[in-house]
Amino acid sequence: MEDEKMTLGEKIKLARKNAGLTQEQLASKLSVSRQAITKWESDKGIPDIDNLNRLSKLLGVSIDFLLNDGKGTGLSVLREEINLDTYNYNRTKGGRWVKKVGKKDMIVREKFPNAEIHALIGKQKLTRGEKITGNALGFIFCGPFGIPDFINGLKNTDKEFYLVNDADKQFFVVVTDEFIESRRLSEKITQKEFEIGNFKFIMCNYLIP
């Protein structure tokens, strides 16, 4: 769906889903009702300027993207299909050990050939129900990571995350087995640990060669 064909509500919904948030979770973070989020996403209401600013920062999209009428800079979130089978990854040339992850590294480097690319370690926050389940199971099972981390590890197993510094622009990039999604950030991230939407990230020391 192209930017000029999207309403404000559709853009909010797209950004929310890309951030891995439910309407309830987004409403809680903004201290508004779920009904308010529903109205915004169905174009039956418009967030005020304060909530627009907070949506921009929370969802990692620019205000220009939310308000653009099709005559401006276009998409702040770009998703492109990929085919991992067309890439040949050789560990001896340098790179990460896992073959599929190495291929995804290659795809990001191909898209941003002159950029500084940081690999990220990402964890989706557990829901309240998962925390309760994890705490209960924790009394039965034990291990180096704990049950909540085990539950978390079952999610998003096909995703690799990257932070890309390309000249004066910064992008948050997600690569799955089927697509690469690049999101230009409205404010640059400088800290090693940060959050976007419903995910926590740690910037690892590994730079994509």
Side-chain angles (χ1 to χ4, degrees):
M1 185 180 292
E2 297 180 355
D3 188 17
E4 61 267 27
K5 296 180 181 179
M6 295 177 69
T7 66
L8 172 60
E10 290 170 335
K11 292 177 184 179
I12 293 173
K13 184 176 182 178
L14 172 66
R16 172 179 63 77
K17 287 188 173 182
N18 285 338
L21 292 170
T22 65
Q23 286 188 339
E24 289 82 0
Q25 290 169 330
L26 180 57
S28 176
K29 290 177 179 293
L30 292 173
S31 298
V32 300
S33 67
R34 184 188 62 79
Q35 288 76 16
I37 304 297
T38 300
K39 286 182 178 179
W40 296 347
E41 292 188 352
S42 60
D43 293 302
K44 295 179 180 178
I46 300 175
D48 60 27
I49 188 63
D50 287 339
N51 279 321
L52 276 173
N53 280 318
R54 294 169 69 193
L55 281 167
S56 172
K57 293 177 182 179
L58 180 63
L59 301 179
V61 296
S62 68
I63 292 179
D64 283 344
F65 166 67
L66 294 174
L67 299 181
N68 196 310
D69 61 1
K71 299 177 182 178
T73 56
L75 280 173
S76 286
V77 180
L78 177 64
R79 177 177 291 193
E80 304 166 85
E81 291 185 0
I82 59 172
N83 182 359
L84 291 177
D85 293 336
T86 62
Y87 291 83
N88 295 314
Y89 177 71
N90 188 339
R91 176 66 181 84
T92 61
K93 295 179 182 178
R96 290 194 271 186
W97 287 102
V98 181
K99 185 175 182 180
K100 185 179 287 187
V101 173
K103 288 185 176 183
K104 292 176 181 179
D105 289 354
M106 292 174 65
I107 290 171
V108 179
R109 173 52 69 194
E110 180 179 83
K111 183 171 179 62
F112 300 97
N114 302 312
E116 177 186 88
I117 304 173
H118 293 267
L120 301 175
I121 300 171
K123 291 177 61 178
Q124 188 170 1
K125 298 177 188 176
L126 296 175
T127 65
R128 183 173 178 275
E130 288 169 339
K131 288 179 180 178
I132 293 173
T133 302
N135 289 336
L137 291 175
F139 289 107
I140 304 172
F141 301 102
C142 60
F145 302 107
I147 294 300
D149 285 318
F150 172 74
I151 295 173
N152 213 320
L154 297 178
K155 301 178 180 180
N156 306 296
T157 54
D158 70 327
K159 291 186 175 74
E160 294 299 322
F161 304 97
Y162 307 84
L163 190 67
V164 178
N165 295 311
D166 192 8
D168 62 340
K169 301 174 183 177
Q170 190 177 62
F171 299 86
F172 174 72
V173 179
V174 181
V175 184
T176 73
D177 294 350
E178 289 82 31
F179 64 82
I180 176 173
E181 180 180 279
S182 307
R183 178 186 304 173
R184 182 175 175 181
L185 300 177
S186 57
E187 294 187 10
K188 283 194 173 183
I189 293 171
T190 56
Q191 62 271 35
K192 187 172 182 178
E193 297 185 23
F194 59 94
E195 296 184 9
I196 293 181
N198 206 33
F199 287 83
K200 291 183 177 180
F201 295 98
I202 299 176
M203 195 184 307
C204 66
N205 295 325
Y206 182 73
L207 289 173
I208 307 305

